[in-house]
Amino acid sequence: MERQVIYADLNLSRDSGLESSTSPSLPQNVCQGPSWHRFALKLGCAGITLLALAVVWLSVSVIFLRQKLSIEKTSLDVQESRNETTERPALLTCPTNWHPIRDKCLFFNNAYKHWNDSLADCSAKETSLLLIQDKEELRLIQNLIDSGGIIFWIGLNFTLPEKNWKWINGSFLSSKILQVTGFAGENNCVSVSKTQMLSESCDSDNKWICQKELKPVRNKVCSVS
Ligand SMILES: *[C@@H]1O[C@H](CO)[C@@H](O)[C@H](O)[C@H]1NC(C)=O
Ligand SMILES: *[C@@H]1O[C@H](CO)[C@@H](O)[C@H](O)[C@H]1NC(C)=O
Ligand SMILES: *[C@@H]1O[C@H](CO)[C@@H](O)[C@H](O)[C@H]1NC(C)=O
Ligand SMILES: *[C@@H]1O[C@H](CO)[C@@H](O)[C@H](O)[C@H]1NC(C)=O
């Protein structure tokens, strides 16, 4: 019995459904429905549009961010690789008024000082009084000196305990490589002129030459001042 009732119910509802969809009395229903329906639809549409816009906006900003990040990264890469590629030429650049000689920058000071004060002046500039490696370097330096008897202190003096010419880096002068003209004795320091390396009293007032070595560590000092 119950089964039958259910069946009948189902049948009925199907029938009524069919009826309503085909019935001519639809307009009344449709007229009431659509105005509410349209509003819901509009609302839904607006919601979907907003959602779509949000999605588009989000993906655009994600893409933009990614691009920005990758650009920053590549510019960093470029900077790093530029660092590497221009390291050598950058190292060979001396500051204005400094003269490049091999792997050094030289500064010719135009004041006049005792040897010890010249030494102190170069140190204060985080440089060193000039050291000369060999005859070739001496020739290059002398090419930069005007003729006319101007002489410049270099980082070489006579030290008493050893009774020898000693560079300020602690090495002794090799007389096979470079020779000093003049008296080798107490309180003597060495200067360089257009034509020779000269022994002088350390208390003479002379110009002097500071050097900066173009090594990675020294480079910063070199390019700053
Ligand atoms: C590039 O140079 C900067 C400073 O000039 C330094 O801090 C950095 O370590 C260098 N990078 C490379 C890869 O040499
Ligand atoms: C250099 O020596 C002179 C004396 O000859 C002295 O008066 C002066 O203070 C010294 N300078 C330095 C920086 O040691
Ligand atoms: C000191 O300088 C001289 C002259 O440039 C050089 O021949 C010598 O090798 C240097 N010594 C050291 C320990 O750097
Ligand atoms: C020679 O130079 C050394 C530093 O290299 C210094 O200690 C010494 O006082 C100098 N001698 C003279 C006479 O200036």
Side-chain angles (χ1 to χ4, degrees), residues 97 99 106-113 118 121-122 125 144-146 150-153 205-210:
N97 297 327
H99 299 270
L106 304 191
F107 187 79
F108 291 77
N109 292 275
N110 271 319
Y112 293 87
K113 285 187 191 293
S118 304
D121 176 82
C122 291
K125 291 173 179 159
L144 295 172
I145 298 176
D146 292 332
I150 302 166
I151 61 174
F152 297 87
W153 287 130
D205 287 317
N206 284 319
K207 299 182 176 192
W208 68 103
I209 302 172
C210 296

Side-chain angles (χ1 to χ4, degrees), residues 138-158:
L138 176 63
R139 193 186 61 79
L140 291 171
I141 291 161
Q142 286 175 328
N143 282 345
L144 295 172
I145 298 176
D146 292 332
S147 46
I150 302 166
I151 61 174
F152 297 87
W153 287 130
I154 65 173
L156 181 64
N157 73 358
F158 191 85

Side-chain angles (χ1 to χ4, degrees), residues 114 116-117 120 203:
H114 292 182
N116 65 344
D117 289 333
D203 296 331

Side-chain angles (χ1 to χ4, degrees), residues 74-149:
T74 48
S75 74
L76 209 76
D77 288 347
V78 166
Q79 235 178 19
E80 265 173 24
S81 62
R82 198 191 297 144
N83 247 8
E84 274 168 31
T85 52
T86 60
E87 192 152 54
R88 286 204 65 86
L91 284 180
L92 292 173
T93 308
C94 289
T96 332
N97 297 327
W98 288 71
H99 299 270
I101 289 280
R102 287 178 170 177
D103 55 350
K104 289 179 187 175
C105 296
L106 304 191
F107 187 79
F108 291 77
N109 292 275
N110 271 319
Y112 293 87
K113 285 187 191 293
H114 292 182
W115 185 85
N116 65 344
D117 289 333
S118 304
L119 182 72
D121 176 82
C122 291
S123 297
K125 291 173 179 159
E126 293 184 61
T127 64
S128 154
L129 206 50
L130 180 64
L131 300 170
I132 304 174
Q133 197 73 42
D134 50 35
K135 278 211 154 60
E136 171 62 11
E137 189 177 3
L138 176 63
R139 193 186 61 79
L140 291 171
I141 291 161
Q142 286 175 328
N143 282 345
L144 295 172
I145 298 176
D146 292 332
S147 46

